[in-house]
Amino acid sequence: MSESEAFRSGLDVVRAVEPRIADAIAQELDDQRESLKLIASENYASPAVLLAMGNWLSDKYAEGTIGRRFYAGCRNVDTVESIAAEHARALFGAEHAYVQPHSGIDANLVAFWAVLAQRVEVPALEQAGVRQVNDLTEADWATLRRELGDQRMLGMSLDAGGHLTHGFRPNISGKMFDQRSYGTDPETGLLDYAAVREAAREFRPLILVAGYSAYPRRVDFAIMREIADEVGATLMVDMAHFAGLVAGKVFTGNEDPVPHAHIVTSTTHKSLRGPRGGLVLCDSGLVDQVDRGCPMVLGGPLPHVMAAKAVALAEARVPEFRDYAQRVVDNARALADGLLRRGARLVTGGTDNHLVLIDVSGYGLTGRQAESALLDAGIVTNRNAIPRDPNGAWYTTGIRVGTPALTTRGVDATGMDEIAGLLDTVLRATTPTGKARYTLADGVAERVRARSAELLARHPLYPGLDLR
Ligand SMILES: *Cc1c(COP(=O)(O)O)cnc(C)c1O
C-alpha cells in the first residue's frame, strides 16, 4: 500500500466519526504546502515518523522507565523506548538517553529536577542518614524544601536569544531559581565568554545553562564547561534548536555539546525533524535522577510518540541526514548573504547556524509590523527581540528566519537568494502607521505570493502524497 493510501484510508476512518477533524487535517497539509515556512523552529517530519504516531501504543500507561514500570503489560513500550534511547545514544554519542519528555520545556524540567535532586536532595538525605524524602523529619523536610527553592541559575538573556525556560520569571524556571543572565557583546553581537565567566564567578550558579532559540552563531561548549567547572556549576545545554546540526555532524568538537555538558536537553521536532517531543542526554552521574522524570515532573509517557522518535532518530543516523544538516547551514548563509547584499541589517552581521535574525529597524519597522506584512504576502516568520531591543518583547525589532523546513523541501542556495529578495521586497514596501499598524504597497502581496508559489511548486512537500 502506498503512503497516499495509508493516509487517505486513515483520514476516511476519522471522517466517519468527525468529518470536520478530517477536513482540518487535510487542510493543514494544503496550508503547509502553500506557505513559505521560514519559522526557524519548524520542520516537516517524514511519513514514517507521522505514521508511527497514529496507533494503539497511545493506549498504554507506562509510568517509570524501561523494565521498571508502575504498570503491567509494558513489553512493547519497553521495546519502543529502548530502541529510541539506543538510537539517541548512538546518534549523539551520549552515555544515557531519556526519550520520554513530551516537549522541550518538559525536557528542561526533567533536567532541572535531576540536577536539584543530585546536588541538593541526595546530599541532604545522606546527611540526615535516611534513604528517601518520606523518612525525613518534618523539620529536615522543611529545610530541604527551602534549599531546593533557593538555588541559582545562570543562562543567556532572552533578548540575546536565550529561552524563556532558562530562568525567566513568567516561566516556572524563573519561579524555581534565582536567575542571572549573560548576554552578547554590544559591538559584535557575539556571545561574550569573558562576561559569562565574570558573571559565573560572581553569582556562583548551581546550573550554568547554554543554548538558545534566536542566536545566529555557534557556541564553544568547551569554554562553557571550563567556566562551569571553575565555579562548581552543572553545565546544562539546551540544544532544542540545533539538535539536527549536532546529529548531522555540522557541529563537532567544541561545538558539539554532548561531550562537554553534564546534561543536554532537546526537542525532537525542530532541526532534528522528528515528532513533536523532547529528550534528555546525560553522563552516568545523572542517570538515576533523569530516569525519575516520570512521574516526577512528567505525566505518563507517550509510547506512540517515542515510537516516532525512534523512527526519526534512525533516519538521522543515515548519511543523507548529514547532507541535510550541511545544506541547512549553507542555505542559512545564502539567505543571510542575499539579505545583506540587498541592504538588510542582520544581528551579528550574518549566521553560521540555521537561523538569521533580521534587525528590521533598518526598514523603519517593528518586528510586529514586519511579521504581519510578510504574512500578508504568504511568508511565515516570527518576530523576535534583538539584543537590547528598543521595542520590548511584544513589538520587538527583529524577524527570525530559519532554513530547516525549506531545506527539507529541497530548496537550495539559489532558492534562498530568491527568498531573500522576496523578504526584502515586502519589507521595503511596508510603511509603518503605528506600532503594530502598517500599509503594504498595492500589488506587492500578490506578486510575492505568485513568486513564492512558483518556487514552492518546484519543491513539492511530501511529493507523491495525494489525499484525493
Ligand atoms: C523550542 C525550545 C524549547 C521548548 O520546546 P517545546 O517543545 O516547545 O516545549 C526549549 N528550549 C529552547 C532553547 C527552544 O528553542
Side-chain angles (χ1 to χ4, degrees):
M1 189 168 72
S2 73
E3 281 167 10
S4 293
E5 284 168 82
F7 282 104
R8 219 183 292 141
S9 46
L11 273 183
D12 284 345
V13 174
V14 175
R15 187 167 286 111
V17 180
E18 175 46 288
R20 292 174 299 175
I21 294 299
D23 290 346
I25 294 170
Q27 185 63 49
E28 181 62 23
L29 177 60
D30 289 344
D31 289 358
Q32 298 253 357
R33 279 177 162 161
E34 287 162 18
S35 67
L36 197 67
K37 181 151 93 173
L38 286 167
I39 305 257
S41 50
E42 291 188 8
N43 213 325
Y44 306 105
S46 72
V49 167
L50 298 176
L51 287 168
M53 278 187 281
N55 57 69
W56 34 90
L57 282 170
S58 166
D59 296 334
K60 194 71 197 94
Y61 242 119
E63 283 183 11
T65 49
I66 305 161
R68 281 187 292 140
R69 308 284 183 185
F70 292 81
Y71 290 80
C74 293
R75 64 175 188 165
N76 298 309
V77 180
D78 280 351
T79 300
V80 163
E81 185 169 351
S82 303
I83 295 171
E86 173 194 310
H87 281 311
R89 285 194 306 270
L91 179 62
F92 293 109
E95 279 183 60
H96 183 68
Y98 183 66
V99 296
Q100 288 189 21
H102 312 328
S103 70
I105 290 186
D106 290 13
N108 286 350
L109 277 176
V110 170
F112 297 151
W113 282 102
V115 176
L116 286 170
Q118 183 207 36
R119 298 202 46 198
V120 181
E121 184 172 302
V122 170
L125 295 180
E126 275 169 10
Q127 206 185 3
V130 300
R131 280 196 45 231
Q132 50 137 331
V133 284
N134 287 336
D135 301 332
L136 287 173
T137 62
E138 288 298 325
D140 285 348
W141 175 232
T143 306
L144 174 56
R145 286 182 58 227
R146 266 196 307 277
E147 276 175 21
L148 286 168
D150 192 29
Q151 300 299 319
R152 292 184 292 272
M153 169 192 290
L154 178 65
M156 195 175 204
S157 71
L158 270 182
D159 69 354
H163 193 263
L164 199 65
T165 56
H166 299 176
F168 296 95
R169 288 180 190 180
N171 181 262
I172 182 81
S173 58
K175 296 169 172 69
M176 279 163 51
F177 289 99
D178 177 9
Q179 193 265 14
R180 294 283 182 286
S181 297
Y182 57 83
T184 47
D185 184 283
E187 295 298 316
T188 61
L190 300 176
L191 182 55
D192 185 346
Y193 296 100
V196 179
R197 192 182 299 272
E198 201 180 297
R201 279 179 183 160
E202 190 182 308
F203 188 53
R204 304 202 78 82
L206 180 81
I207 305 181
L208 174 62
V209 183
Y212 53 80
S213 304
Y215 177 65
R217 297 291 177 173
R218 301 186 185 188
V219 174
D220 186 323
F221 296 110
I223 301 181
M224 296 304 279
R225 174 60 184 258
E226 196 184 288
I227 296 170
D229 284 347
E230 189 188 320
V231 301
T234 297
L235 177 62
M236 167 177 157
V237 176
D238 180 352
M239 64 170 183
H241 251 261
F242 55 87
L245 305 184
V246 178
K249 311 298 176 212
V250 173
F251 288 2
T252 57
N254 291 0
E255 294 163 1
D256 177 352
V258 181
H260 302 291
H262 297 94
I263 189 161
V264 175
T265 59
S266 186
T267 59
T268 48
H269 51 274
K270 297 183 182 177
S271 54
L272 195 53
R273 208 162 65 181
R276 189 158 291 284
L279 58 81
V280 178
L281 308 172
C282 66
D283 61 23
S284 51
L286 280 158
V287 173
D288 289 349
Q289 306 303 341
V290 165
D291 278 353
R292 291 199 173 100
C294 166
M296 172 72 187
V297 290
L298 299 175
L302 310 174
H304 55 307
V305 180
M306 292 197 288
K309 286 174 187 172
V311 172
L313 291 161
E315 288 175 345
R317 288 183 69 188
V318 303
E320 286 76 13
F321 194 84
R322 294 189 183 196
D323 299 341
Y324 165 70
Q326 187 58 51
R327 278 186 283 117
V328 165
V329 172
D330 294 344
N331 277 344
R333 167 93 32 93
L335 184 62
D337 288 348
L339 286 162
L340 288 169
R341 219 180 51 248
R342 289 168 176 89
R345 203 182 286 168
L346 305 182
V347 173
T348 76
T351 177
D352 47 32
N353 57 21
H354 63 293
L355 69 87
V356 176
L357 193 56
I358 310 171
D359 175 352
V360 293
S361 67
Y363 294 97
L365 301 172
T366 64
R368 180 81 195 274
Q369 291 158 340
E371 176 192 87
S372 303
L374 288 167
L375 191 62
D376 292 346
I379 303 178
V380 189
T381 64
N382 65 276
R383 66 183 187 280
N384 210 103
I386 64 170
R388 292 159 287 275
D389 200 306
N391 293 321
W394 177 251
Y395 291 106
T396 82
T397 308
I399 284 289
R400 187 185 67 167
V401 287
T403 52
L406 289 178
T407 304
T408 296
R409 285 185 79 146
V411 176
D412 59 10
T414 314
M416 286 297 161
D417 186 64
E418 217 175 312
I419 291 166
L422 298 180
L423 289 165
D424 181 67
T425 300
V426 174
L427 296 175
R428 275 180 200 283
T430 306
T431 309
T433 58
K435 252 194 160 168
R437 279 185 302 205
Y438 60 94
T439 55
L440 186 55
D442 277 350
V444 170
E446 295 69 22
R447 270 208 313 282
V448 167
R449 269 177 193 278
R451 281 178 47 202
S452 72
E454 267 170 46
L455 183 121
L456 292 175
R458 275 182 269 139
H459 303 285
L461 176 62
Y462 302 115
L465 179 60
D466 181 8
L467 296 181
R468 315 228 182 262

